[in-house]
Amino acid sequence: MDKDSRSESYEKAGVDIRAGYRAVELMKKHVLRTTTPGCISGIGSFGGLFRPELAGMKEPILVSGTDGVGTKLKLAFLMNRHNTVGIDCTAMCVNDIICCGAKPLFFLDYIALGKNVPERVAEIVEGVAEGCVQSGCALIGGETAEMPGFYPQDEYDLAGFAVGIVDREKIFDSSSMVPGDTVIALPSSGVHSNGFSLVRHVFGMNTNPEVIHTRVETLDTTLGEALLAPTKIYVKPVLALAEEVKIKGCAHITGGGFYENIPRCLKEGIGVKIERAALRILPLFDLIQKTGNIPERDMFNTFNMGVGMCLIVAREDAERALEVLKANGEDAYIIGETVLGEGITIC
């Protein structure tokens, strides 16, 4: 890139290409944190190059996932904090592909904004890089698009995608699922990155944005801080478990909550019974439900309710699974079992 490149005409239209160069310089240190042995290109190429390690794999399969952060970004705008939503963006992608048993290899992001403020872009990428470090993948490229007149000057959108790899024989497979298998919960860190249109409506943030600064005793922090907590990344503990125990099903609890996501990993003719009393529902969800007078069925059909991921293993493997997960930093616990039938029952 020619750092002396500029266009006065483009600047008059609202796009400062020099700000883009500055943003790239500021983000470099964050991107370098994510470097893995497969990286063979740096920032600035037209394409991100990556050499996967295929040794020992009989039939390598690529697995990809893409997502964004949604209207949780509105919280970041209100709080003027931009270094956590990148973790959310990465998490939403890598947590999806781990449900197939795939190890994330690399990630690319896309930031579209009304005005390119280099320091803010670097903050966003700082979060993306942190998410990549947590999941063991490399940030090998991305795009920053300045779009005046399309986005307000102080707002942006953030999306990305991840590519991972798994040996075909190690893909999580529900074919051996039977009634009586154990359902294990991995705790969430909060709302994660789904349901924020409802959250903003419940707390009246569109008309009273100052509500985010309200300190809530049951949360031991402000409402905004609790809601902005980044999505938890489950890649490393799930991969560690897969080395020790056969995982029959894995569900990332995102939009649609329990009722839409858990069935996606079930064998046909198998349902799940969840013990309501076993769930460790976070106080934040109690606050959302009471404030918005939301029926419990809707809560479980919208939010993760404190469970960011569900794993299904054979009953005889459950104790070992809990041991491995806890050894890898997850306070995992049993919430139910598989049954004959279809869908989810919470009782």
Side-chain angles (χ1 to χ4, degrees):
M1 283 183 290
D2 182 355
K3 299 302 188 293
D4 295 322
S5 173
R6 64 172 297 186
S7 169
E8 292 185 6
S9 299
Y10 213 1
E11 286 177 33
K12 290 177 182 178
V15 177
D16 183 358
I17 57 178
R18 293 174 302 173
Y21 301 147
R22 172 68 176 155
V24 169
E25 289 301 317
L26 291 176
M27 70 175 71
K28 277 184 177 179
K29 63 180 180 181
H30 303 303
V31 176
L32 285 172
R33 291 181 60 219
T34 75
T35 302
T36 65
C39 296
I40 58 175
S41 67
I43 299 177
S45 299
F46 285 100
L49 306 180
F50 191 90
R51 181 182 60 242
E53 176 55 64
L54 304 179
M57 286 194 172
K58 297 178 181 177
E59 192 175 356
I61 303 294
L62 293 179
V63 182
S64 60
T66 185
D67 211 335
V69 185
T71 63
K72 185 176 185 176
L73 292 175
K74 290 285 189 180
L75 270 293
F77 304 156
L78 290 174
M79 298 180 69
N80 194 29
R81 183 177 302 173
H82 310 284
N83 64 348
T84 62
V85 289
I87 300 175
D88 291 297
C89 187
T90 309
M92 295 303 290
C93 299
V94 298
N95 282 346
D96 275 356
I97 67 173
I98 193 61
C99 290
C100 298
K103 171 182 168 52
L105 296 175
F106 58 83
F107 188 85
L108 286 88
D109 60 15
Y110 175 78
I111 307 167
L113 31 69
K115 181 176 177 59
N116 189 339
V117 180
E119 292 75 16
R120 185 171 61 200
V121 172
E123 283 187 66
I124 297 168
V125 175
E126 177 186 352
V128 174
E130 175 59 27
C132 288
V133 169
Q134 289 183 25
S135 55
C137 69
L139 178 56
I140 65 169
E143 173 70 8
T144 303
E146 190 171 14
M147 302 169 65
F150 194 87
Y151 292 97
Q153 282 204 358
D154 294 328
E155 296 191 3
Y156 56 85
D157 198 6
L158 173 62
F161 76 89
V163 173
I165 194 166
V166 61
D167 205 345
R168 187 178 191 120
E169 65 182 15
K170 293 184 177 180
I171 295 173
F172 298 160
D173 181 11
S174 65
S175 62
S176 64
M177 202 175 284
V178 295
D181 286 338
T182 299
V183 182
I184 295 174
L186 303 187
S188 73
S189 56
V191 180
H192 283 184
S193 300
N194 298 100
F196 274 88
S197 293
L198 179 55
V199 167
R200 291 184 299 110
H201 173 73
V202 165
F203 293 110
M205 292 180 187
N206 295 329
T207 56
N208 180 28
E210 292 301 309
V211 71
I212 63 172
H213 302 300
T214 303
R215 184 168 184 84
V216 182
E217 291 304 316
T218 56
L219 306 180
D220 196 29
T221 187
T222 64
L223 179 61
E225 292 283 352
L227 290 171
L228 201 59
T231 305
K232 195 171 180 182
I233 292 176
Y234 301 99
V235 171
K236 292 180 180 179
V238 172
L239 286 177
L241 178 63
E243 292 295 317
E244 302 287 335
V245 169
K246 178 179 175 60
I247 298 175
K248 299 186 179 186
C250 181
H252 183 198
I253 311 303
T254 57
F258 283 50
Y259 289 104
E260 288 189 21
N261 289 291
I262 296 177
R264 295 166 67 180
C265 75
L266 299 178
K267 177 182 175 181
E268 186 175 353
I270 297 289
V272 162
K273 182 178 72 173
I274 291 173
E275 297 179 24
R276 173 67 172 77
L279 292 169
R280 302 172 187 173
I281 296 175
L282 298 176
L284 179 56
F285 294 107
D286 291 329
L287 178 65
I288 293 170
Q289 183 175 6
K290 291 174 183 175
T291 304
N293 192 28
I294 302 172
E296 186 166 270
R297 176 64 165 73
D298 288 358
M299 291 293 295
F300 278 98
N301 209 160
T302 306
F303 301 109
N304 66 62
M305 300 301 283
V307 178
M309 184 160 282
C310 284
L311 302 171
I312 299 175
V313 301
R315 180 181 295 175
E316 60 269 23
D317 290 334
E319 185 175 344
R320 177 59 180 156
L322 292 177
E323 290 174 355
V324 173
L325 289 166
K326 289 178 181 179
N328 284 272
E330 284 297 326
D331 189 18
Y333 62 102
I334 295 172
I335 59 171
E337 64 178 359
T338 55
V339 295
L340 280 176
E342 300 285 346
I344 308 301
T345 301
I346 302 174
C347 56

